[in-house]
Amino acid sequence: MKRDLISISDLKREEIIKLLKDTKKIKDRWYSNLPWFPLTGKTMLLIFEKPSTRTRVSFEAGFSQLGGRSIFITPQESQLSKGETIEDTARTVSRYVDIVVLRVFEHEKVVRFAQNSKIPVINGLSDLLHPCQILADLFTIWEKLGRFEDFKLVFVGDGSNNVANSLVELAGIMNFELVITCPPGYEPEKDILNEALKKGGNIKINYDPFEAVKGADVIYTDVWCSMGQELEYEKRLQIFKDFQVNSKLMGLAKRETLFMHCLPAKRGLEVTDEVIDGPNSIVFDEAENRLHVQKAIVLFLLGINP
Ligand code: CP
Ligand code: NVA
């Protein structure tokens, strides 16, 4: 049976640990310059409705570094823009390529695409979830803390966005403490939160960022206004203004608390320059790890052992 990566919940705890370990192998091999082309003859298709730097470039570069080739299109360049259905598109491209990455607005599009394709489908971000990001984040935490469980992560800002929802899913599977500190009304998606809590996730919502960050091993933030929410920009600046990650907030955690951000960042809004460029920031290691994790995800879904 073909596998997809639409959400973190598609994975079991053991599979997440395998992905972390595979990523370590792949990253070490990359740094030792050992030639390795397990994807020779394979093709990846990327269909992106939204802009991207990290997800697109790391998937395309990663796939070609492993010997494969990739094709990138936007809906405008395909017949999707002329009304061809997602279902017909999925059925067609399944016959041409080996794996597909989608970046979409409505989450249901990636679900429908996956239901209609014979090949693995990866969610490269939807309005609801961003699973590839969160796997790279966990790998980065493992590298930095030496453990992938037993830590406290505090997400500061828009708790209702794709990154926060995927973190909640992860906390439902892996053993760590997740605190979401957000303004009322910007909590994670109810169903996702309830499901993660039902699985035993140690997840709390705290409306006071100054209280929430106490004892954090990691403080994580993301933009206040995600792609597609541009019309709410001014309103959101007001709502989130007390949720900026700045030196004062970092100072309430620990001296060694790590700062993470999925990027791109809006400097001066959700994070100040001194924090993102400061000694506790690991945002570019986090961004680099997208490359290594994407390779592990692709190999996992194609059933190739690294
Ligand atoms: N973090 C992330 O997904 O970045 P891009 O939007 O640049 O792909
Ligand atoms: N929440 C952000 C993540 C970008 C990688 C967005 O959806 O725009």
Side-chain angles (χ1 to χ4, degrees):
M1 246 262 290
K2 69 123 177 172
R3 293 284 301 266
D4 303 304
L5 179 59
I6 308 296
S7 83
I8 292 286
S9 307
D10 290 336
L11 300 167
K12 297 191 186 71
R13 183 172 175 278
E14 312 81 71
E15 290 174 331
I16 293 176
I17 295 171
K18 175 180 161 42
L19 275 170
L20 297 177
K21 293 189 172 161
D22 287 355
T23 302
K24 168 110 187 62
K25 258 196 223 169
I26 291 164
K27 184 171 179 177
D28 288 348
R29 195 187 269 134
W30 170 247
Y31 271 95
S32 18
N33 271 318
L34 291 174
W36 185 51
F37 305 113
L39 297 180
T40 303
K42 302 252 186 265
T43 309
M44 159 177 273
L45 172 66
L46 302 99
I47 307 177
F48 277 37
E49 286 186 344
K50 298 179 181 181
S52 169
T53 299
R54 279 142 290 269
T55 308
R56 176 183 177 178
V57 179
S58 58
F59 265 121
E60 290 209 61
F63 207 79
S64 73
Q65 286 160 11
L66 297 183
R69 306 193 68 153
S70 60
I71 300 168
F72 179 88
I73 53 170
T74 61
Q76 287 70 36
E77 291 157 326
S78 75
Q79 298 292 3
L80 280 164
S81 65
K82 299 287 174 210
E84 185 167 23
T85 63
I86 287 179
E87 287 75 8
D88 289 350
T89 307
R91 288 184 197 122
T92 303
V93 301
S94 287
R95 293 171 182 235
Y96 299 151
V97 300
D98 301 283
I99 191 159
V100 180
V101 185
L102 294 181
R103 173 167 281 206
V104 296
F105 287 97
E106 298 83 6
H107 183 73
E108 52 99 22
K109 284 185 188 160
V110 67
V111 174
R112 279 164 53 205
F113 199 104
Q115 282 166 350
N116 287 279
S117 49
K118 288 185 298 197
I119 54 172
V121 173
I122 299 172
N123 177 4
L125 181 148
S126 65
D127 282 352
L128 189 70
L129 298 171
H130 197 1
C132 302
Q133 176 68 50
I134 266 38
L135 290 172
D137 296 337
L138 187 61
F139 180 76
T140 310
I141 290 169
W142 182 32
E143 277 189 328
K144 301 291 173 186
L145 295 182
R147 56 191 193 276
F148 48 74
E149 296 191 297
D150 301 318
F151 57 85
K152 174 175 175 178
L153 187 150
V154 181
F155 180 91
V156 182
D158 183 4
S160 68
N161 81 12
N162 38 23
V163 169
N165 283 329
S166 285
L167 274 171
V168 169
E169 286 199 335
L170 185 72
I173 302 171
M174 305 299 287
N175 219 332
F176 66 96
E177 181 182 352
L178 174 64
V179 179
I180 305 274
T181 178
C182 59
Y186 292 85
E187 300 84 0
E189 193 66 32
K190 251 198 202 82
D191 292 348
I192 293 177
L193 181 60
N194 289 339
E195 186 59 32
L197 290 170
K198 218 168 65 195
K199 288 180 179 168
N202 179 0
I203 308 162
K204 293 179 197 81
I205 310 289
N206 186 331
Y207 298 109
D208 178 356
F210 301 105
E211 188 57 38
V213 297
K214 285 186 185 151
D217 296 296
V218 180
I219 293 182
Y220 191 132
T221 192
D222 184 13
V223 289
W224 292 340
C225 191
S226 286
M227 292 181 277
Q229 297 173 333
E230 289 78 8
L231 290 177
E232 298 175 31
Y233 187 75
E234 295 300 329
K235 177 182 126 189
R236 283 173 171 262
L237 292 194
Q238 285 311 308
I239 292 172
F240 288 102
K241 66 179 178 340
D242 297 329
F243 291 83
Q244 182 184 66
V245 182
N246 49 34
S247 302
K248 184 176 163 209
L249 194 70
M250 288 296 290
L252 294 172
K254 297 192 268 190
R255 203 162 45 86
E256 66 277 15
T257 301
L258 300 169
F259 173 72
M260 298 181 77
H261 192 309
C262 58
L263 303 178
K266 283 269 189 217
R267 287 165 174 261
L269 294 184
E270 76 274 5
V271 61
T272 56
D273 285 341
E274 53 186 357
V275 170
I276 197 168
D277 297 326
N280 295 25
S281 172
I282 53 168
V283 298
F284 295 107
D285 292 332
E286 182 185 1
E288 175 187 327
N289 283 333
R290 296 293 306 279
L291 173 73
H292 310 299
V293 170
Q294 320 289 38
K295 288 178 181 172
I297 293 170
V298 164
L299 293 174
F300 175 79
L301 294 178
L302 291 176
I304 302 169
N305 248 316

PDB file of all heavy atoms in Angstrom, residues 30 39 44 46 54-68 70 291 294-295:
ATOM      1  N   TRP A  30      26.073  12.985   3.655  1.00  0.00           N
ATOM      2  CA  TRP A  30      26.174  14.210   2.842  1.00  0.00           C
ATOM      3  C   TRP A  30      27.431  14.997   3.227  1.00  0.00           C
ATOM      4  O   TRP A  30      28.196  15.443   2.387  1.00  0.00           O
ATOM      5  CB  TRP A  30      24.909  15.046   3.068  1.00  0.00           C
ATOM      6  CG  TRP A  30      24.905  16.431   2.512  1.00  0.00           C
ATOM      7  CD1 TRP A  30      24.885  17.590   3.225  1.00  0.00           C
ATOM      8  CD2 TRP A  30      24.878  16.813   1.142  1.00  0.00           C
ATOM      9  NE1 TRP A  30      24.848  18.661   2.392  1.00  0.00           N
ATOM     10  CE2 TRP A  30      24.843  18.218   1.092  1.00  0.00           C
ATOM     11  CE3 TRP A  30      24.864  16.090  -0.065  1.00  0.00           C
ATOM     12  CZ2 TRP A  30      24.816  18.939  -0.088  1.00  0.00           C
ATOM     13  CZ3 TRP A  30      24.846  16.800  -1.249  1.00  0.00           C
ATOM     14  CH2 TRP A  30      24.817  18.207  -1.252  1.00  0.00           C
ATOM     15  N   LEU A  39      18.003   7.594  -5.937  1.00  0.00           N
ATOM     16  CA  LEU A  39      16.799   8.033  -6.668  1.00  0.00           C
ATOM     17  C   LEU A  39      17.033   8.160  -8.176  1.00  0.00           C
ATOM     18  O   LEU A  39      16.223   8.779  -8.871  1.00  0.00           O
ATOM     19  CB  LEU A  39      16.297   9.369  -6.090  1.00  0.00           C
ATOM     20  CG  LEU A  39      15.838   9.325  -4.626  1.00  0.00           C
ATOM     21  CD1 LEU A  39      15.365  10.694  -4.154  1.00  0.00           C
ATOM     22  CD2 LEU A  39      14.723   8.300  -4.420  1.00  0.00           C
ATOM     23  N   MET A  44      10.245  13.653  -9.213  1.00  0.00           N
ATOM     24  CA  MET A  44       9.340  14.255  -8.225  1.00  0.00           C
ATOM     25  C   MET A  44       8.615  15.426  -8.878  1.00  0.00           C
ATOM     26  O   MET A  44       9.232  16.224  -9.596  1.00  0.00           O
ATOM     27  CB  MET A  44      10.156  14.747  -7.034  1.00  0.00           C
ATOM     28  CG  MET A  44       9.454  15.798  -6.203  1.00  0.00           C
ATOM     29  SD  MET A  44      10.435  16.287  -4.770  1.00  0.00           S
ATOM     30  CE  MET A  44       9.880  15.027  -3.629  1.00  0.00           C
ATOM     31  N   LEU A  46       6.348  18.829  -8.054  1.00  0.00           N
ATOM     32  CA  LEU A  46       5.908  19.756  -7.002  1.00  0.00           C
ATOM     33  C   LEU A  46       4.858  20.681  -7.611  1.00  0.00           C
ATOM     34  O   LEU A  46       5.107  21.288  -8.660  1.00  0.00           O
ATOM     35  CB  LEU A  46       7.073  20.602  -6.482  1.00  0.00           C
ATOM     36  CG  LEU A  46       8.265  19.820  -5.899  1.00  0.00           C
ATOM     37  CD1 LEU A  46       9.373  19.721  -6.941  1.00  0.00           C
ATOM     38  CD2 LEU A  46       8.818  20.504  -4.650  1.00  0.00           C
ATOM     39  N   ARG A  54      12.268  27.627   1.375  1.00  0.00           N
ATOM     40  CA  ARG A  54      12.857  26.440   1.991  1.00  0.00           C
ATOM     41  C   ARG A  54      12.256  25.130   1.471  1.00  0.00           C
ATOM     42  O   ARG A  54      12.997  24.223   1.086  1.00  0.00           O
ATOM     43  CB  ARG A  54      12.664  26.469   3.526  1.00  0.00           C
ATOM     44  CG  ARG A  54      13.668  27.337   4.239  1.00  0.00           C
ATOM     45  CD  ARG A  54      13.024  28.067   5.394  1.00  0.00           C
ATOM     46  NE  ARG A  54      12.129  29.063   4.855  1.00  0.00           N
ATOM     47  CZ  ARG A  54      12.521  30.322   4.607  1.00  0.00           C
ATOM     48  NH1 ARG A  54      13.710  30.725   4.915  1.00  0.00           N
ATOM     49  NH2 ARG A  54      11.692  31.191   4.035  1.00  0.00           N
ATOM     50  N   THR A  55      10.937  25.027   1.459  1.00  0.00           N
ATOM     51  CA  THR A  55      10.315  23.744   1.124  1.00  0.00           C
ATOM     52  C   THR A  55      10.622  23.380  -0.326  1.00  0.00           C
ATOM     53  O   THR A  55      11.061  22.266  -0.621  1.00  0.00           O
ATOM     54  CB  THR A  55       8.794  23.829   1.369  1.00  0.00           C
ATOM     55  OG1 THR A  55       8.588  24.316   2.700  1.00  0.00           O
ATOM     56  CG2 THR A  55       8.134  22.489   1.201  1.00  0.00           C
ATOM     57  N   ARG A  56      10.452  24.345  -1.218  1.00  0.00           N
ATOM     58  CA  ARG A  56      10.704  24.056  -2.625  1.00  0.00           C
ATOM     59  C   ARG A  56      12.176  23.719  -2.870  1.00  0.00           C
ATOM     60  O   ARG A  56      12.511  22.709  -3.481  1.00  0.00           O
ATOM     61  CB  ARG A  56      10.303  25.254  -3.488  1.00  0.00           C
ATOM     62  CG  ARG A  56      10.648  24.982  -4.936  1.00  0.00           C
ATOM     63  CD  ARG A  56      10.351  26.129  -5.859  1.00  0.00           C
ATOM     64  NE  ARG A  56      10.798  25.778  -7.199  1.00  0.00           N
ATOM     65  CZ  ARG A  56      10.658  26.544  -8.251  1.00  0.00           C
ATOM     66  NH1 ARG A  56      10.079  27.711  -8.145  1.00  0.00           N
ATOM     67  NH2 ARG A  56      11.096  26.138  -9.438  1.00  0.00           N
ATOM     68  N   VAL A  57      13.061  24.599  -2.396  1.00  0.00           N
ATOM     69  CA  VAL A  57      14.475  24.417  -2.736  1.00  0.00           C
ATOM     70  C   VAL A  57      15.038  23.170  -2.059  1.00  0.00           C
ATOM     71  O   VAL A  57      15.797  22.414  -2.668  1.00  0.00           O
ATOM     72  CB  VAL A  57      15.297  25.683  -2.385  1.00  0.00           C
ATOM     73  CG1 VAL A  57      16.761  25.479  -2.706  1.00  0.00           C
ATOM     74  CG2 VAL A  57      14.750  26.896  -3.146  1.00  0.00           C
ATOM     75  N   SER A  58      14.637  22.918  -0.809  1.00  0.00           N
ATOM     76  CA  SER A  58      15.195  21.728  -0.139  1.00  0.00           C
ATOM     77  C   SER A  58      14.661  20.438  -0.766  1.00  0.00           C
ATOM     78  O   SER A  58      15.414  19.473  -0.916  1.00  0.00           O
ATOM     79  CB  SER A  58      14.933  21.766   1.369  1.00  0.00           C
ATOM     80  OG  SER A  58      13.548  21.854   1.639  1.00  0.00           O
ATOM     81  N   PHE A  59      13.401  20.402  -1.162  1.00  0.00           N
ATOM     82  CA  PHE A  59      12.901  19.189  -1.835  1.00  0.00           C
ATOM     83  C   PHE A  59      13.577  19.006  -3.195  1.00  0.00           C
ATOM     84  O   PHE A  59      14.008  17.913  -3.543  1.00  0.00           O
ATOM     85  CB  PHE A  59      11.375  19.236  -2.016  1.00  0.00           C
ATOM     86  CG  PHE A  59      10.622  18.535  -0.918  1.00  0.00           C
ATOM     87  CD1 PHE A  59       9.706  19.228  -0.139  1.00  0.00           C
ATOM     88  CD2 PHE A  59      10.813  17.185  -0.668  1.00  0.00           C
ATOM     89  CE1 PHE A  59       9.004  18.588   0.881  1.00  0.00           C
ATOM     90  CE2 PHE A  59      10.118  16.533   0.349  1.00  0.00           C
ATOM     91  CZ  PHE A  59       9.213  17.240   1.118  1.00  0.00           C
ATOM     92  N   GLU A  60      13.650  20.087  -3.982  1.00  0.00           N
ATOM     93  CA  GLU A  60      14.230  19.939  -5.329  1.00  0.00           C
ATOM     94  C   GLU A  60      15.717  19.609  -5.248  1.00  0.00           C
ATOM     95  O   GLU A  60      16.208  18.713  -5.939  1.00  0.00           O
ATOM     96  CB  GLU A  60      13.995  21.211  -6.148  1.00  0.00           C
ATOM     97  CG  GLU A  60      12.528  21.394  -6.510  1.00  0.00           C
ATOM     98  CD  GLU A  60      12.343  22.154  -7.816  1.00  0.00           C
ATOM     99  OE1 GLU A  60      12.806  21.682  -8.866  1.00  0.00           O
ATOM    100  OE2 GLU A  60      11.735  23.242  -7.774  1.00  0.00           O
ATOM    101  N   ALA A  61      16.452  20.350  -4.405  1.00  0.00           N
ATOM    102  CA  ALA A  61      17.894  20.104  -4.286  1.00  0.00           C
ATOM    103  C   ALA A  61      18.129  18.704  -3.712  1.00  0.00           C
ATOM    104  O   ALA A  61      18.950  17.941  -4.219  1.00  0.00           O
ATOM    105  CB  ALA A  61      18.535  21.157  -3.395  1.00  0.00           C
ATOM    106  N   GLY A  62      17.370  18.365  -2.686  1.00  0.00           N
ATOM    107  CA  GLY A  62      17.538  17.065  -2.037  1.00  0.00           C
ATOM    108  C   GLY A  62      17.285  15.920  -3.005  1.00  0.00           C
ATOM    109  O   GLY A  62      18.056  14.959  -3.065  1.00  0.00           O
ATOM    110  N   PHE A  63      16.224  16.031  -3.786  1.00  0.00           N
ATOM    111  CA  PHE A  63      15.875  14.957  -4.727  1.00  0.00           C
ATOM    112  C   PHE A  63      16.973  14.800  -5.779  1.00  0.00           C
ATOM    113  O   PHE A  63      17.354  13.683  -6.127  1.00  0.00           O
ATOM    114  CB  PHE A  63      14.523  15.269  -5.383  1.00  0.00           C
ATOM    115  CG  PHE A  63      13.777  14.044  -5.829  1.00  0.00           C
ATOM    116  CD1 PHE A  63      13.070  13.284  -4.910  1.00  0.00           C
ATOM    117  CD2 PHE A  63      13.780  13.645  -7.158  1.00  0.00           C
ATOM    118  CE1 PHE A  63      12.377  12.144  -5.309  1.00  0.00           C
ATOM    119  CE2 PHE A  63      13.089  12.509  -7.564  1.00  0.00           C
ATOM    120  CZ  PHE A  63      12.378  11.752  -6.638  1.00  0.00           C
ATOM    121  N   SER A  64      17.493  15.930  -6.272  1.00  0.00           N
ATOM    122  CA  SER A  64      18.528  15.814  -7.307  1.00  0.00           C
ATOM    123  C   SER A  64      19.858  15.360  -6.714  1.00  0.00           C
ATOM    124  O   SER A  64      20.596  14.613  -7.342  1.00  0.00           O
ATOM    125  CB  SER A  64      18.658  17.105  -8.123  1.00  0.00           C
ATOM    126  OG  SER A  64      19.285  18.078  -7.351  1.00  0.00           O
ATOM    127  N   GLN A  65      20.157  15.753  -5.480  1.00  0.00           N
ATOM    128  CA  GLN A  65      21.400  15.269  -4.847  1.00  0.00           C
ATOM    129  C   GLN A  65      21.394  13.740  -4.704  1.00  0.00           C
ATOM    130  O   GLN A  65      22.439  13.110  -4.666  1.00  0.00           O
ATOM    131  CB  GLN A  65      21.583  15.931  -3.480  1.00  0.00           C
ATOM    132  CG  GLN A  65      22.022  17.387  -3.588  1.00  0.00           C
ATOM    133  CD  GLN A  65      21.753  18.197  -2.328  1.00  0.00           C
ATOM    134  OE1 GLN A  65      21.415  17.651  -1.279  1.00  0.00           O
ATOM    135  NE2 GLN A  65      21.895  19.509  -2.427  1.00  0.00           N
ATOM    136  N   LEU A  66      20.190  13.154  -4.622  1.00  0.00           N
ATOM    137  CA  LEU A  66      20.092  11.693  -4.503  1.00  0.00           C
ATOM    138  C   LEU A  66      19.916  11.027  -5.873  1.00  0.00           C
ATOM    139  O   LEU A  66      19.582   9.848  -5.959  1.00  0.00           O
ATOM    140  CB  LEU A  66      18.940  11.316  -3.570  1.00  0.00           C
ATOM    141  CG  LEU A  66      19.075  11.786  -2.110  1.00  0.00           C
ATOM    142  CD1 LEU A  66      17.904  11.301  -1.264  1.00  0.00           C
ATOM    143  CD2 LEU A  66      20.378  11.302  -1.487  1.00  0.00           C
ATOM    144  N   GLY A  67      20.109  11.790  -6.943  1.00  0.00           N
ATOM    145  CA  GLY A  67      20.122  11.206  -8.283  1.00  0.00           C
ATOM    146  C   GLY A  67      18.837  11.360  -9.077  1.00  0.00           C
ATOM    147  O   GLY A  67      18.773  10.966 -10.247  1.00  0.00           O
ATOM    148  N   GLY A  68      17.772  11.920  -8.462  1.00  0.00           N
ATOM    149  CA  GLY A  68      16.502  12.057  -9.167  1.00  0.00           C
ATOM    150  C   GLY A  68      16.345  13.413  -9.827  1.00  0.00           C
ATOM    151  O   GLY A  68      17.245  14.255  -9.782  1.00  0.00           O
ATOM    152  N   SER A  70      13.400  16.724 -10.667  1.00  0.00           N
ATOM    153  CA  SER A  70      12.120  17.253 -10.193  1.00  0.00           C
ATOM    154  C   SER A  70      11.514  18.206 -11.218  1.00  0.00           C
ATOM    155  O   SER A  70      12.225  18.796 -12.020  1.00  0.00           O
ATOM    156  CB  SER A  70      12.306  17.958  -8.850  1.00  0.00           C
ATOM    157  OG  SER A  70      13.204  19.025  -8.990  1.00  0.00           O
ATOM    158  N   LEU A 291      16.469  20.196   4.430  1.00  0.00           N
ATOM    159  CA  LEU A 291      17.081  19.450   3.317  1.00  0.00           C
ATOM    160  C   LEU A 291      17.271  17.978   3.687  1.00  0.00           C
ATOM    161  O   LEU A 291      16.890  17.084   2.922  1.00  0.00           O
ATOM    162  CB  LEU A 291      18.438  20.074   2.977  1.00  0.00           C
ATOM    163  CG  LEU A 291      19.278  19.310   1.937  1.00  0.00           C
ATOM    164  CD1 LEU A 291      18.683  19.480   0.547  1.00  0.00           C
ATOM    165  CD2 LEU A 291      20.727  19.812   1.943  1.00  0.00           C
ATOM    166  N   GLN A 294      13.846  16.163   4.376  1.00  0.00           N
ATOM    167  CA  GLN A 294      13.040  15.897   3.161  1.00  0.00           C
ATOM    168  C   GLN A 294      13.552  14.640   2.463  1.00  0.00           C
ATOM    169  O   GLN A 294      12.774  13.837   1.949  1.00  0.00           O
ATOM    170  CB  GLN A 294      13.097  17.031   2.127  1.00  0.00           C
ATOM    171  CG  GLN A 294      13.064  18.427   2.631  1.00  0.00           C
ATOM    172  CD  GLN A 294      11.748  18.892   3.182  1.00  0.00           C
ATOM    173  OE1 GLN A 294      11.041  18.125   3.834  1.00  0.00           O
ATOM    174  NE2 GLN A 294      11.427  20.124   2.952  1.00  0.00           N
ATOM    175  N   LYS A 295      14.897  14.479   2.439  1.00  0.00           N
ATOM    176  CA  LYS A 295      15.459  13.275   1.806  1.00  0.00           C
ATOM    177  C   LYS A 295      14.973  12.023   2.535  1.00  0.00           C
ATOM    178  O   LYS A 295      14.585  11.037   1.900  1.00  0.00           O
ATOM    179  CB  LYS A 295      16.990  13.334   1.849  1.00  0.00           C
ATOM    180  CG  LYS A 295      17.601  14.349   0.898  1.00  0.00           C
ATOM    181  CD  LYS A 295      19.122  14.357   1.062  1.00  0.00           C
ATOM    182  CE  LYS A 295      19.790  15.377   0.158  1.00  0.00           C
ATOM    183  NZ  LYS A 295      21.237  15.526   0.458  1.00  0.00           N
TER     184      LYS A 295
END
